[in-house]
Amino acid sequence: QKEVEQNSGPLSVPEGAIASLNCTYSDRGSQSFFWYRQYSGKSPELIMFIYSNGDKEDGRFTAQLNKASQYVSLLIRDSQPSDSATYLCAGYFGNEKLTFGTGTRLTIIP
Amino acid sequence: NAGVMQNPRHLVRRRGQEARLRCSPMKGHSHVYWYRQLPEEGLKFMVYLQKENIIDESGMPKERFSAEFPKEGPSILRIQQVVRGDSAAYFCASSPRDRVEGYEQYFGPGTRLTVT
């Protein structure tokens, strides 16, 4: 079983709407989770991290962590065309390395 | 505060040659990670290093690949006798990895290796 699973998409959202990206993980002991944005041909850019259950907000982005359900999500409010990218979920799973999901491709439709 | 630096950004090698990829972590970061990303695929962990130590190399191919992070200078990922299947983007990330500053990893711009 993969440690981090994401819907590969593509996910299409109208401009101005809320984009919801989801990630599930297999290890209940995981403590730290990260969302990265990667534009085509570019490197991953850290946009959010969350260590505690609940919500964490930063501007238009909200990360949500539910450890009981082993579920991490990223909400993007007021979606802009510049948000079109692949979003990668990642976490530490009892070892020293960050394990990434395969990413969800998001397209914002003007 | 300068970000993670990698060079070269693009590297072309013929089959059988050696490739050396360099990574300088962010200032104050002592933990370096290398990842490989094949076209249209996800990021795969290769190796985790601290100064003068390899902490986890479970993602490194057993042959031809090696990594180091010397006391002075950048971290180096070395690929000997490259083959076409080594063509990929290689990313380096660094982290402070402590309770005060957190465990986030910040990525460099990557080196795109093409083997002809």
Side-chain angles (χ1 to χ4, degrees), chain B residues 4-46:
Chain B
V4 179
M5 299 176 69
Q6 289 188 251
N7 67 80
R9 298 287 298 274
H10 298 275
L11 182 61
V12 179
R13 285 288 179 265
R14 292 184 179 151
R15 280 178 296 172
Q17 291 185 320
E18 178 180 287
R20 283 191 178 223
L21 288 61
R22 295 174 182 77
C23 169
S24 296
M26 288 178 68
K27 185 177 180 181
H29 289 190
S30 58
H31 302 259
V32 167
Y33 306 79
W34 285 93
Y35 296 86
R36 178 166 64 176
Q37 189 172 40
L38 295 168
E40 302 303 319
E41 291 191 14
L43 279 165
K44 300 297 183 186
F45 167 82
M46 298 183 74

Side-chain angles (χ1 to χ4, degrees), chain B:
Chain B
N1 188 8
V4 179
M5 299 176 69
Q6 289 188 251
N7 67 80
R9 298 287 298 274
H10 298 275
L11 182 61
V12 179
R13 285 288 179 265
R14 292 184 179 151
R15 280 178 296 172
Q17 291 185 320
E18 178 180 287
R20 283 191 178 223
L21 288 61
R22 295 174 182 77
C23 169
S24 296
M26 288 178 68
K27 185 177 180 181
H29 289 190
S30 58
H31 302 259
V32 167
Y33 306 79
W34 285 93
Y35 296 86
R36 178 166 64 176
Q37 189 172 40
L38 295 168
E40 302 303 319
E41 291 191 14
L43 279 165
K44 300 297 183 186
F45 167 82
M46 298 183 74
V47 61
Y48 162 40
L49 310 102
Q50 293 180 29
K51 284 284 187 181
E52 299 185 281
N53 284 304
I54 297 174
I55 307 302
D56 184 344
E57 56 180 348
S58 59
M60 287 271 277
K62 294 287 187 275
E63 298 179 351
R64 303 189 296 109
F65 285 73
S66 62
E68 63 176 4
F69 190 14
K71 186 176 180 180
E72 301 291 336
S75 175
I76 296 178
L77 179 67
R78 182 182 178 205
I79 311 172
Q80 295 179 290
Q81 300 174 341
V82 296
V83 300
R84 286 199 173 143
D86 296 332
S87 296
Y90 291 83
F91 293 103
C92 169
S94 74
S95 172
R97 201 178 171 92
D98 61 40
R99 288 189 178 186
V100 175
E101 297 196 44
Y103 296 85
E104 308 88 76
Q105 294 185 22
Y106 297 90
F107 281 77
T111 294
R112 275 131 185 102
L113 172 66
T114 302
V115 179
T116 62

